Amino acid sequence: MVLRTPARIPVEVHASDPLSLAGAASQLRRQPEIELVEEATGRPGTVAVLLAEALDEPTLSRLRRLVRADGTRAVLVTSLIREAELLQVIECGVGAIVWRREATGHRLLQAVLAASRGDGDLPSDLLGRLITQVGTLQRGTTNVPGAPASGLAPREVDVLRLVAEGMDTGEIASKLSYSERTVKNVMHGLTTRLQLRNRAHAVAYALREGYI
């Protein structure tokens, strides 16, 4: 019996300055699960790690371009996200965010693995801010003519509620007595149907529509 070595995750690093680029690359190069690749290689399953001190419009535009590339998922490493920028970042398609002060090799690996799986990985303080912000938006659209109609099935709501609590696919499957494949199918179905970019975007949608 031949044992296959698990495929490594291709990761490209983007940074505005060479020192940040070298530091992140050094941390990631030590992780056996990761294969560093050049920018714009177009390999399926690539995860882009973008380092930004703060978010400006050029950075947000770069995030959008990265996520729209075939198969690319994004991890954002930053020092600051303002309230007005948080939902924009999620809607760009970023599902994993790491505070720069916490960006150890292990923490970056966790974020890359989550992004590669399509899981969300947000710091707990950011998740709280997202819930508050989207809740405010949801209240602001209540009873407004033309507000988007909700379209989530009960089990989709159950799954998203647990995603919002920070659970991964295995934990959600165990909690709901589903198989992991079922959880993945539920997430894939709702993100495809509603044109949502990832789990974090789906949670934001469910919050905005008043489901969770």
Side-chain angles (χ1 to χ4, degrees):
M1 179 178 178
V2 178
L3 295 178
R4 293 185 178 179
T5 303
R8 294 192 294 166
I9 301 168
V11 175
E12 55 185 49
V13 182
H14 302 257
S16 57
D17 65 278
L19 187 60
S20 295
L21 183 64
S26 175
Q27 293 273 27
L28 291 166
R29 193 174 287 114
R30 301 172 190 169
Q31 311 301 324
E33 300 91 339
I34 286 175
E35 176 189 358
L36 287 184
V37 298
E38 297 295 323
E39 292 185 21
T41 56
R43 284 181 54 180
T46 295
V47 175
V49 176
L50 176 64
L51 289 86
E53 190 63 33
L55 295 176
D56 52 18
E57 189 51 45
T59 302
L60 289 170
S61 295
R62 192 172 192 183
L63 277 173
R64 293 186 190 101
R65 288 197 302 273
L66 286 172
V67 171
R68 286 170 184 165
D70 290 344
T72 301
R73 301 181 187 274
V75 173
L76 174 65
V77 181
T78 187
S79 299
L80 175 69
I81 297 180
R82 299 180 181 87
E83 296 297 331
E85 298 162 343
L86 179 55
L87 194 57
Q88 290 185 66
V89 169
I90 298 301
E91 292 182 339
C92 280
V94 176
I97 299 173
V98 177
W99 290 128
R100 201 171 179 121
R101 63 182 178 272
E102 299 173 354
T104 62
H106 177 68
R107 182 67 188 89
L108 288 173
L109 175 61
Q110 282 184 318
V112 167
L113 291 173
S116 178
R117 295 190 302 262
D119 292 345
D121 187 357
L122 302 182
S124 57
D125 57 330
L126 270 188
L127 186 57
R129 283 165 56 186
L130 178 64
I131 290 171
T132 299
Q133 183 178 358
V134 178
T136 300
L137 289 172
Q138 192 274 329
R139 288 192 295 274
T141 59
T142 301
N143 298 324
V144 175
S150 302
L152 297 179
R155 74 173 182 172
E156 291 174 337
V157 176
D158 291 340
V159 169
L160 282 176
R161 187 174 290 117
L162 297 179
V163 171
E165 292 176 8
M167 294 188 184
D168 62 24
T169 299
E171 291 169 331
I172 294 170
S174 176
K175 183 80 172 178
L176 297 178
S177 299
Y178 290 163
S179 69
E180 290 192 22
R181 180 179 293 276
T182 296
V183 174
K184 290 177 181 178
N185 287 343
V186 169
M187 288 303 307
H188 178 73
L190 72 92
T191 53
T192 300
R193 187 178 75 254
L194 300 174
Q195 299 183 333
L196 304 169
R197 296 189 183 280
N198 51 39
R199 290 187 176 204
H201 196 188
V203 169
Y205 173 89
L207 285 162
R208 177 180 287 177
E209 296 300 314
Y211 270 92
I212 58 177

